[in-house]
Amino acid sequence: MRYYALCAFILAGSTVLSGGSAQADERAIGAVDPRIGTGGAGHTYPGASVPFGMVQLSPDTAMTDFRHSYAWAAGYQYGDPTIMGFSHTHFTGAGHSDLGDVLVMPIAGDVRLEPGDAAVPGSGYRSRFRHATEVEKPGYYAVTLDDYGVRAELTAGKRVGWHRYAFPQGKPAHVLLDLRPSIYDYPGKVSWARLHVGADGTVSGCRMTRGWAPGRVLCFAMRFSQPMTARTLYNRETNVPYRGFKGPGYQPVDHDAQNGRALEAVFDFEALKAPLLVKTAISPVSEANAIDNLTREGAGWDFDARHAQAQAAWEHALSVIDVQGTPGQRTQFYTALYHVMLAPTLSMDANGDYRGPDYEVHKADGFDFYSTWSTWDVYRAQQPLLAILRPDLGAQFVRSLVVSAQDSPFGLLPVWAYQGLETWCMIGYHAVPIIADAYLAGVRGFDADAALKAMVRSATYGPYGDLADYMKIGYVPIDKEAEGASKTLEYAYDDWALARMARAMGKTAIADEFERRSRNWRHVWDSKTGFMRARTTDGQFHTPFNPAAAAYGSDYTEGNAWQYSWYVPQDVPGLITAMGGREKFTAKIDALFDARVDPAIFRNVEDISGLIGWYAHGNEPDHHVAYLYDYAGQPWKTQQRLTQIMQTQYALRPDGLAGNDDLGQMSAWYIFTALGFYPVAPASREYAVGRPFVSKAVVHLGNGHAFTVTADNLDDAHPYVGAVTLNGHPLPRFFLQQKDVLAGGELHFVMQATPQTK
């Protein structure tokens, strides 16, 4: 994804159990490693959360200037030597970023008020740490802060983050709260903040930031298991000539409240004989709602019980698929499934309040409101996977998308939204295929007519991405709108998905119109060069043309002509014909994978990574390409390329991901591919068959049925499919109908050493 993209999985070694469903759950959660994707690429966080939870409580090793922040999009880099604190909100696998709200740091001894330099120990409040002291599990994180001798443990609920800090004996204990830093930081990012200590010791406040979603408000409420012996509230802003008159106290220690743009606080507890517990609730709406969230969901002080609840939530979530395979295969599989289930995130208070894209407060009536929508990424595989695994959640997701459009001042579905607010990052109107795929997969529990209305509105709003010209002349002219080739291709696919849902609903006129629009991909096909190309308003192809060229704001979105010329998932047979037939089509895919490419050519487009020739697995536009051999009658080449991708783009290391996880999309690609099939065109009700990478998987579908994948002779020496059957009958072609998967049954592969070319 723009300024961000890739894939991830997760683990925390655990004893492998066998037997019934409860044991299978424990086996799944024990095969998750949150460290994978935390270093190099991946951009995942190792901290504590629950499935799709509002709180992501995780360590931050850096919150640096936005111009140098790509590597710290999740706040954490595995190679960093220090931790600057634990904040309560994070993206998983993003490249562009924000959040890092409510940063907390436990301190034993002297307190410093600045983070300091990671290369200079003792220069600030950050602390050195060692990976040997870290424990990462779903719903739990622990580490020892070496400079303070503090053992920190974190767990989480839906809206509350729980901390447990064991301080060394004999040293005064402090908790520092810093409301100044953010992930993707810069001077002036905090527009305003307030901080208050209530008579009962509850600390609460809000801050507004002008980051990726300008004007975002995040509020919090915090309580401690021990009474404070003192507290000091600071406004550290120094570059304002006039800040009004002083409050009722003259010193920071006198204040019960502070307002400003650089707020910080230190809470003192002297020497403690027992660990200090901290519980923090957040709200995207108000301070009062944060306190209410904390009261409703943060009762008591039993950290271990809260940890057990988080673990049980993950055991239940991950039990939707039971997988057999080698320990490494299981670790990658369940780590990927874990990352699939981190986003979108709950963005609604316990009383039903949520903040919409109009910045107003709305009430969710009969559903949970979810946000954190990277639609350009997740429509491809992550949402199609959840639509069959968790149709109950799928209905909540669709309702969230539709009410976002109804609340939007533009009437548009989310493009890249979080905490209810829109960023307008990336291209297309890909909430459309998310909704269409869910509907066609049988997800119900939402107003289909209201959804279709929002879909049509998003696809016909002329000012968005020059849809006006697209609707008028059939393509997006590059002299009026950057990335015109990519936008034309992606709009055409979205139109097709809209038509599919409209047809299924009996809306013939709408279906006919958008089916016509779905053929607009032909307007950017250049038969002379054999590539998709941008055109100018007068109909000419944009020149000069170099199919290898890639740059942000060019003819293509995070890619070049080699990578985007395959993007016609809705009409692969038409693309094969345009490219001159099956032999020329497959020869060109071969050329894509086999080219010798210097990665330095993409040094200015950080999202293009994971190169195999021109194929870039670390970014989304290529994700379906390996499966296209199936459509040309050469499935053995799909099997060959999938083996190549899985062996080179995924590894059991912190830097083992080729790009960003992109809120679960890269991980969902792994899950589908490991199972042996993939949704090349979501909303098609069809999967292309590849090859399996696990010997057995039982998929517990959300409709109550189970679909089982088994494989004989599965090892490195047998990478090709010799035979495949569905419920004991030979599969007539290398495609699965979604209805056959949803009905339950068994897909069985027999693997062999050599390609089956007949």
Side-chain angles (χ1 to χ4, degrees), residues 203-217:
V203 179
S204 60
C206 299
R207 75 171 182 176
M208 176 183 287
T209 53
R210 46 184 178 181
W212 198 11
R216 181 180 67 92
V217 173

Side-chain angles (χ1 to χ4, degrees), residues 45-47 56-63 74-77 80-90 100-107 114-116 118 124-129 134 141 143 145 148 150 152 154 163 165 175-178 181 183:
Y45 61 83
Q56 308 87 36
L57 180 53
S58 189
D60 296 298
T61 59
M63 290 188 184
Y76 181 97
Q77 268 286 316
D80 286 349
T82 65
I83 287 173
M84 64 180 289
F86 307 103
S87 67
H88 292 73
T89 58
H90 295 82
D101 298 291
V102 195
L103 183 76
V104 173
M105 188 62 167
I107 295 172
E114 293 298 326
Y125 63 68
R126 64 172 64 244
S127 172
R128 288 170 289 185
F129 75 106
E134 284 186 298
Y141 174 86
V143 68
L145 301 173
Y148 302 124
V150 172
L154 313 175
H163 314 234
Y165 299 133
V175 172
L176 180 144
L177 170 65
D178 201 341
I183 297 172

Side-chain angles (χ1 to χ4, degrees), residues 247-399:
Y250 287 93
Q251 301 297 326
V253 73
D254 296 326
H255 296 164
D256 290 320
Q258 275 283 12
N259 289 269
R261 293 187 292 187
L263 302 188
E264 197 172 8
V266 177
F267 307 107
D268 303 325
F269 300 91
E270 295 187 348
L272 296 173
K273 296 181 179 180
L276 176 70
L277 274 70
V278 185
K279 52 188 177 184
T280 305
I282 62 172
S283 165
V285 171
S286 69
E287 193 172 342
N289 278 13
I291 294 172
D292 183 57
N293 289 343
L294 185 58
T295 300
R296 294 195 196 200
E297 299 186 5
W301 292 104
D302 193 335
F303 180 93
D304 292 328
R306 296 299 182 169
H307 174 203
Q309 290 173 356
Q311 178 174 311
W314 278 113
E315 288 174 351
H316 176 73
L318 297 175
S319 68
V320 294
I321 306 179
D322 295 328
V323 169
Q324 294 180 8
T326 67
Q329 289 169 340
R330 288 171 44 75
T331 295
Q332 287 195 324
F333 190 95
Y334 282 114
T335 299
L337 188 58
Y338 168 88
H339 280 113
V340 165
M341 294 182 173
L342 289 174
T345 57
L346 184 68
S347 188
M348 182 191 81
D349 291 326
N351 66 1
D353 287 352
Y354 69 90
R355 191 173 297 279
D358 55 357
Y359 290 84
E360 298 297 326
V361 177
H362 304 271
K363 183 80 72 173
D365 183 12
F367 72 100
D368 289 340
F369 179 76
Y370 289 86
S371 193
T372 315
W373 286 108
S374 180
T375 63
W376 188 82
D377 301 290
V378 300
Y379 84 89
R380 304 169 195 260
Q382 190 250 8
Q383 284 296 302
L385 179 61
L386 291 174
I388 63 174
L389 294 179
R390 293 294 307 272
D392 56 329
L393 273 176
Q396 306 286 311
F397 295 161
V398 173
R399 292 188 70 174

